[in-house]
């Protein structure tokens, strides 16, 4: 079942019961992204404010033709980008990441792998925890919102 997000703070939330996002990570979803030119949030455990409040944030960047982006953080962060997002079509988006935040993740668009390119930050080591809930569709600070649909 797909959930429709209008880009204005809609989200699905689940309590974070373990530290599974602090080690190796794999996240995937089917998504239909309506528009670019703004960040579009797939999944995250983000309390806002960056650093240790943001152990994982899987989203698009804010370009007119956006690309997939993964941010992992501890007291510093690493930001990686992957392949371009396809607007106006259902696509399967996925990312796998090692525990060490400096290790480039692998992004998948419809199953085709692309190694991430570092675009910011100098963080190293394991991400630190956040008490924030896991959110799909919008970050807790609502700076990054999905405009489109996400299905499991």
């Amino acid at each position: 079942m797909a959930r429709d997000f209008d880009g204005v703070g809609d989200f699905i939330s689940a309590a974070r019961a373990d530290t599974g996002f602090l080690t190796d990570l794999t996240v995937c979803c089917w998504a239909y992204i309506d528009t670019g030119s703004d960040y579009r949030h797939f999944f995250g455990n983000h309390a806002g404010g960056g650093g240790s409040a943001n152990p994982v944030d899987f989203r698009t960047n804010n370009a007119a033709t956006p690309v997939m982006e993964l941010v992992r953080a501890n007291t510093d962060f690493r930001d990686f980008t992957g392949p371009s997002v396809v607007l106006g079509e259902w696509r399967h988006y996925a990312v796998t990441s090692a525990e060490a935040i400096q290790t480039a993740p692998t992004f998948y668009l419809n199953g085709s792998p692309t190694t991430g390119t570092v675009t910011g930050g100098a963080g190293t080591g394991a991400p630190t925890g956040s008490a924030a809930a896991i959110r799909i569709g919008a970050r807790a600070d609502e700076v990054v919102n999905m405009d489109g649909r996400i299905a499991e």
Side-chain angles (χ1 to χ4, degrees):
M1 179 170 149
R3 300 289 183 182
D4 195 1
F5 300 93
D6 65 7
V8 191
D10 300 339
F11 64 90
I12 298 168
S13 177
R16 192 176 144 263
D18 62 30
T19 58
F21 304 113
L22 304 182
T23 59
D24 295 352
L25 172 73
T26 299
V27 177
C28 66
C29 67
W30 285 93
Y32 184 107
I33 301 171
D34 290 329
T35 60
S37 301
D38 207 347
Y39 294 100
R40 300 299 176 209
H41 187 265
F42 293 115
F43 170 92
N45 173 230
H46 187 283
S52 61
N54 182 21
V56 60
D57 193 0
F58 180 36
R59 63 189 188 201
T60 71
N61 70 358
N62 61 348
T65 303
V67 298
M68 287 191 275
E69 187 171 48
L70 179 70
V71 179
R72 303 281 315 262
N74 46 38
T75 55
D76 199 348
F77 72 97
R78 284 286 175 132
D79 186 350
F80 293 93
T81 57
S84 294
V85 167
V86 179
L87 299 176
E89 295 181 18
W90 280 103
R91 297 292 177 163
H92 190 259
Y93 298 95
V95 63
T96 60
S97 177
E99 177 178 356
I101 65 175
Q102 72 272 16
T103 304
T106 301
F107 293 93
Y108 296 86
L109 179 59
N110 285 340
S112 296
T114 301
T115 301
T117 302
V118 67
T119 55
T124 61
T128 51
S130 167
I134 297 160
R135 289 176 62 135
I136 298 169
R139 268 187 359 195
D141 58 8
E142 296 192 7
V143 171
V144 179
N145 296 289
M146 176 58 74
D147 182 14
R149 293 172 288 284
I150 298 177
E152 59 280 332

